[in-house]
Amino acid sequence: MNRYNKSLIISCLSAFILLLGSAGWLAAQNVIIAGRCVTPAGYGIGSVTVQAIGEAPGQSPFNYVTLTDNDGNYALNVPNGSTNITVRPLKEASPLNGVSTYDEVIVVRHYKGIDTLTSPYQLIAADVNRSGTIDTLDVIDLRKVLLGIDTLFANNTSWRFVRADYIFPDPLDPFSPPFPEVVTFSSLAANALNINFIGVKIGDLNENAIVSGSNSGGLNHYLGVIGSIRADTNLNCLAEGNEPLLDNWLVTAQGSGGTYHGSTNQFGQYFIYFPIGSTGNYDVFLSPPNALWEACTDTIFNVFVVNGLVNTEDFVAQPVVECPALEVDLSAPFLRRCFASQYNVFYTNNGTTTAEDATVDITFDPFLEVEGSTIPWTAVNGQTYTFPVGDVPWGTSGSFRVTVNVSCDATPGQTHCSTAHIFPDSLCGPIDSLWGGGDLRVTGECQGGEIVFTVTNLGTDMTEPVGYVVIEDIMIQMVGGSIQLDHGESETITVPSNGSTWRLEVDQVPHHPGNELTSASVEGCGANGQGSASFGIIPLFPTNDAGFFEDEDCQVNVSSFDPNDKQGFPRGVGAPHYIPQGTEIEYMIRFQNTGTDTAFNVIVLDTLPNTLDLSTLRAGSSSHPYDFHVVSEGIIQFVFANILLPDSNVNEAASHGYFQFAISPKADKPDGTVIENEAAIFFDFNAPVITNRTWHTLGSAFLNVSNVVFQPGLELDVFPNPTSTTATFSLKTVQSTAGTLRLFDARGRLIRTLDFDHNIFELPMSDLPPGLYTFRLNATNGQALAAGKVVRVY
């Protein structure tokens, strides 16, 4: 006996005894047909219409119907001795119940052979058009319902039911032979109990449809908490209908079953989904975007969450102080040499009062020439352009575009960095009382035979020194800790202009309200022994964003690119794409309509790995307006409704689109944790385009290891290391490798060059002073092979 039949029999027998007591003649002339309708996971489906048709004794036809209760139970009385009886469950409810673009991804990945569905019930759910096969036509019918074009599935019912005792001859092909959707009796002279059915919600591949029973749910998630967030403008801590709704605010439920998140949409509503098995008490709390806001009640304690019961928990938030809080985001989908590109500037006010007469200063890379913009600039100072955006009320956003041309004089693969700064940028509201007021900035310039980094204190006098790190390409060359500056003071650090990409990272003063470090990078200054320089290394590291008021965009110019892809910045160092712990990852998803007609709607679905902290998610700039929300734990959706994206044959320049969002890894993830991610892009009714998979590896030890390999599939051993006489280099690859080794001292000066034409070669070091040396290996064509450190001892 299975886990739901025992209680069913007891309830049906109780009903039968009740019938005997109240109307004994009825029991003598009728029999009971009873059972339960459940999901594949065994959860009861409520409000299912169960129909019994047949012929009573004397060939009198009948048609009896009933509804299942909240646990999926039903019971029907039919005349004793009836014949040709058919029992059929029916449920025609909202087709959108449990259906999202995530289900489309599952369908597409199945018929493309990327991931194979193995459950016959999932295969039935995927057969949206009821054809007995799974293909793009199912996606089209599903998409029409998702976009509201169809209110019902055009070729199917909302639910299909399978006789519970049916065993599929081939679970991978539930359609052949056709599965039984009814139970029949040639005659019935006794009670028929346990006439059970398995209900399949069409289009719901991850089985998260709400089925209204006390054990409602699905295999993955169910909706547990919903609500809205309003700004309490009259300060009475009551949620009133005329008060503004707040979007992009995070709500978290934390309890015995885990931690789950939801974010408010453009209507101020949030939805939190819970995995099956997470029943329990949860504390639901609100996380304002900054310290300028405070919830009247920030935590609602002991909210009992169970499958099928939806809790409504509303919040109201009040301003702590009247203060604007401007943020700016600068981005471009790509930069192509000798072609025009567009920078998109997105700004928002997350404060509590209007930012008056706001302006945005953009300092463009020297190789970018400004050709035009969607709003006029009012001043130009060198490469810095000033754009007035007027008053920015709290809770509102705006954007504009700037068209730039990438100079043909730029080196292919060169990095171009531009910075946007929004004003007013004065700090107001609650600030960490431990911050001493120091505010460091770093700049870097190529000056003749050297690179000069300048560290300046724009704030109050520093009370203690901070440390710094100098990095050549990807190797630490210098570590210091004696920078302590008064207000307005500066200190310079110089490095050789040897063609390497140099980077200076300076720790920000403790408790600074912005980032924990400030940095600057310079590439293409001077030349190495082969007469070339290293390019494209700057984007491997985090950009120098001085808090929310400022945003720096650094990207490599390209000649060609994948029009539908996903990128993660910083890109990370080496083949593993190492990034330091705590580094925020900014993802960019690009898309292009390469079809033959206008794309009216574009939907992007991104399933985030559990290594990322959803509470740190920040939606960023984009080419077109979009709506963003969390549709389930770890699943985020971006909807570009009515985007009207022309196809590339009609207007190639306007056929592109993109957007960005930022998120940080979870703080408890150890070094070596790999963070992978990909997305699905839907153009109207077409099958989704699955982007490339990005990946990062947590850890910063890559800056100090003995060697770092730039080419996938290549391994390098250096032994012995340390050495007193000779270091042996072993390149592990199936091909013979030739190139040049360059050796540098601790100050970055080139002291030795060694050509090699075999995979194993020796570097004499007995004539060198003891100390730490760095090396670089380049192939004969100048391509970087590896870099590292070797130590000479007595």
Side-chain angles (χ1 to χ4, degrees):
M1 184 175 294
N2 62 33
R3 57 187 169 130
Y4 48 83
N5 287 344
K6 183 175 180 180
S7 61
L8 173 62
I9 292 174
I10 293 174
S11 62
C12 290
L13 287 176
S14 299
F16 182 62
I17 292 170
L18 179 61
L19 287 171
L20 280 175
S22 60
W25 65 271
L26 184 62
Q29 297 183 14
N30 289 269
V31 293
I32 295 175
I33 301 175
R36 194 174 184 221
C37 297
V38 298
T39 68
Y43 299 107
I45 307 173
S47 301
V48 177
T49 300
V50 182
Q51 176 189 50
I53 60 174
E55 295 177 356
Q59 297 186 342
S60 176
F62 63 82
N63 184 348
Y64 299 113
V65 295
T66 189
L67 290 175
T68 59
D69 65 15
N70 281 341
D71 287 321
N73 298 311
Y74 74 91
L76 285 163
N77 293 290
V78 301
N80 193 339
S82 296
T83 58
N84 300 322
I85 304 164
T86 299
V87 181
R88 181 192 307 275
L90 303 165
K91 186 175 176 69
E92 189 59 70
S94 169
L96 285 173
N97 184 15
V99 175
S100 71
T101 49
Y102 180 57
D103 300 289
E104 291 187 57
V105 174
I106 298 176
V107 175
V108 172
R109 292 179 71 89
H110 169 77
Y111 75 70
K112 285 191 172 183
I114 301 173
D115 293 317
T116 301
L117 298 174
T118 57
S119 163
Y121 304 110
Q122 285 184 304
L123 292 166
I124 294 170
D127 183 25
V128 178
N129 66 354
R130 206 167 181 147
S131 65
T133 58
I134 300 171
D135 52 30
T136 55
L137 296 178
D138 298 296
V139 175
I140 291 174
D141 278 9
L142 197 61
R143 179 64 61 79
K144 287 181 178 179
V145 168
L146 282 169
L147 293 177
I149 296 173
D150 288 345
T151 57
L152 297 172
F153 292 123
N155 304 294
N156 208 343
T157 57
S158 183
W159 288 80
R160 294 184 74 178
F161 293 86
V162 184
R163 206 174 70 196
D165 60 354
Y166 179 69
I167 298 175
F168 293 93
D170 182 2
L172 298 181
D173 184 12
F175 312 105
S176 181
F179 56 87
E181 301 185 68
V182 300
V183 174
T184 60
F185 302 93
S186 58
S187 63
L188 197 62
N191 295 325
L193 306 179
N194 302 324
I195 309 304
N196 305 315
F197 295 88
I198 305 295
V200 179
K201 174 63 183 67
I202 301 303
D204 179 20
L205 275 297
N206 62 346
E207 294 189 53
N208 66 351
I210 303 300
V211 294
S212 76
S214 60
N215 288 324
S216 302
L219 291 178
N220 289 324
H221 294 85
Y222 60 90
L223 183 60
V225 182
I226 65 175
S228 64
I229 305 175
R230 293 183 180 273
D232 186 25
T233 54
N234 60 8
L235 305 180
N236 64 357
C237 281
L238 297 176
E240 297 171 337
N242 61 344
E243 292 180 318
L245 292 160
L246 301 170
D247 63 345
N248 287 330
W249 281 46
L250 183 74
V251 183
T252 303
Q254 190 172 52
S256 57
T259 301
Y260 310 102
H261 305 280
S263 64
T264 53
N265 57 22
Q266 59 182 326
F267 307 109
Q269 299 169 320
Y270 72 89
F271 307 87
I272 301 180
Y273 292 84
F274 294 77
I276 295 302
S278 55
T279 297
N281 288 314
Y282 289 81
D283 296 337
V284 181
F285 58 90
L286 179 66
S287 300
N290 51 51
L292 301 177
W293 290 92
E294 185 177 74
C296 288
T297 300
D298 60 4
T299 304
I300 301 173
F301 296 97
N302 295 321
V303 176
F304 183 65
V305 176
V306 62
N307 305 27
L309 297 179
V310 180
N311 300 273
T312 300
E313 306 294 348
D314 296 327
F315 292 89
V316 291
Q318 296 179 344
V320 176
V321 295
E322 291 189 356
C323 178
L326 292 175
E327 299 180 19
V328 66
D329 195 353
L330 175 71
S331 61
F334 50 81
L335 296 174
R336 296 181 64 183
R337 291 177 61 250
C338 308
F339 285 88
S341 298
Q342 281 194 335
Y343 268 101
N344 291 279
V345 185
F346 176 82
Y347 56 90
T348 186
N349 182 1
N350 284 323
T352 58
T353 189
T354 297
E356 298 179 351
D357 298 324
T359 60
V360 178
D361 281 359
I362 306 178
T363 302
F364 293 97
D365 185 88
F367 287 87
L368 303 181
E369 179 182 356
V370 176
E371 295 187 337
S373 59
T374 55
I375 64 173
W377 59 77
T378 56
V380 179
N381 183 9
Q383 285 294 97
T384 301
Y385 288 68
T386 299
F387 297 87
V389 295
D391 293 347
V392 184
W394 69 270
T396 65
S397 302
S399 64
F400 62 92
R401 299 179 182 179
V402 183
T403 301
V404 299
N405 190 281
V406 184
S407 172
C408 296
D409 294 334
T411 303
Q414 181 176 343
T415 305
H416 304 284
C417 291
S418 299
T419 302
H421 191 116
I422 193 166
F423 301 90
D425 62 354
S426 57
L427 294 173
C428 56
I431 297 175
D432 192 334
S433 60
L434 297 178
W435 176 41
D439 183 21
L440 299 179
R441 294 290 188 272
V442 180
T443 59
E445 288 185 283
C446 179
Q447 297 182 1
E450 59 186 9
I451 295 172
V452 179
F453 290 108
T454 302
V455 185
T456 304
N457 180 12
L458 302 179
T460 60
D461 295 351
M462 295 173 58
T463 59
E464 57 184 297
V466 297
Y468 67 86
V469 172
V470 178
I471 302 170
E472 182 188 14
D473 289 338
I474 64 169
M475 304 301 298
I476 291 178
Q477 300 294 351
M478 189 186 309
V479 178
S482 59
I483 295 181
Q484 184 171 350
L485 304 171
D486 291 337
H487 169 70
E489 280 191 335
S490 298
E491 182 171 327
T492 60
I493 297 172
T494 60
V495 295
S497 55
N498 57 6
S500 297
T501 297
W502 289 89
R503 174 180 174 87
L504 175 65
E505 293 183 352
V506 179
D507 292 336
Q508 192 57 269
V509 296
H511 307 286
H512 189 277
N515 294 336
E516 294 182 356
L517 60 85
T518 180
S519 64
S521 300
V522 177
E523 73 172 12
C525 185
N528 56 32
Q530 285 72 43
S532 60
S534 60
F535 291 102
I537 293 179
I538 292 177
L540 304 183
F541 296 88
T543 55
N544 182 36
D545 296 340
F548 296 119
F549 300 125
E550 191 172 288
D551 187 49
E552 182 180 40
D553 178 82
C554 291
Q555 56 179 293
V556 173
N557 66 52
V558 296
S559 56
S560 62
F561 58 93
D562 186 342
N564 297 286
D565 69 352
K566 181 169 188 175
Q567 302 179 69
F569 301 96
R571 295 188 182 277
V573 174
H577 298 179
Y578 283 111
I579 59 173
Q581 286 277 0
T583 299
E584 182 182 68
I585 303 173
E586 188 168 45
Y587 288 107
M588 174 189 286
I589 297 178
R590 303 187 294 192
F591 52 87
Q592 183 185 21
N593 179 11
T594 56
T596 58
D597 198 2
T598 299
F600 289 87
N601 300 281
V602 175
I603 299 175
V604 181
L605 193 74
D606 196 328
T607 302
L608 301 174
N610 62 9
T611 49
L612 294 174
D613 184 358
L614 199 61
S615 68
T616 65
L617 182 66
R618 292 191 301 110
S621 66
S622 66
S623 58
H624 302 78
Y626 64 88
D627 183 35
F628 149 78
H629 62 281
V630 180
V631 298
S632 186
E633 186 63 23
I635 303 173
I636 56 177
Q637 181 173 274
F638 300 82
V639 179
F640 294 82
N642 200 33
I643 188 174
L644 301 179
L645 199 67
D647 68 81
S648 55
N649 298 305
V650 173
N651 189 338
E652 199 281 335
S655 66
H656 297 271
Y658 80 99
F659 67 94
Q660 291 183 316
F661 69 93
I663 191 169
S664 298
K666 290 182 177 177
D668 60 351
K669 297 303 176 183
D671 282 355
T673 297
V674 177
I675 300 171
E676 296 183 286
N677 201 1
E678 65 182 7
I681 305 169
F682 299 83
F683 296 89
D684 287 334
F685 307 122
N686 298 297
V689 177
I690 308 299
T691 69
N692 58 291
R693 183 179 292 268
T694 67
W695 75 94
H696 294 84
T697 304
L698 296 182
S700 55
F702 64 89
L703 291 170
N704 293 309
V705 295
S706 60
N707 56 76
V708 174
V709 177
F710 293 104
Q711 302 299 320
L714 177 68
E715 295 183 17
L716 171 65
D717 282 343
V718 181
F719 57 90
N721 190 7
T723 181
S724 59
T725 55
T726 300
T728 300
F729 287 69
S730 175
L731 290 165
K732 298 181 180 180
T733 177
V734 295
Q735 299 177 340
S736 178
T737 304
T740 302
L741 177 149
R742 292 179 298 136
L743 190 69
F744 304 90
D745 64 15
R747 296 180 58 187
R749 296 175 299 183
L750 178 65
I751 61 171
R752 181 158 296 173
T753 300
L754 175 69
D755 294 329
F756 61 91
D757 56 9
H758 293 86
N759 289 1
I760 300 178
F761 58 92
E762 293 183 343
L763 172 66
M765 298 187 67
S766 58
D767 59 329
L768 298 177
L772 176 69
Y773 297 85
T774 61
F775 63 83
R776 286 184 64 90
L777 302 180
N778 289 81
T780 52
N781 62 3
Q783 188 177 36
L785 297 175
K789 294 183 180 182
V790 60
V791 178
R792 158 81 164 98
V793 294
Y794 284 111

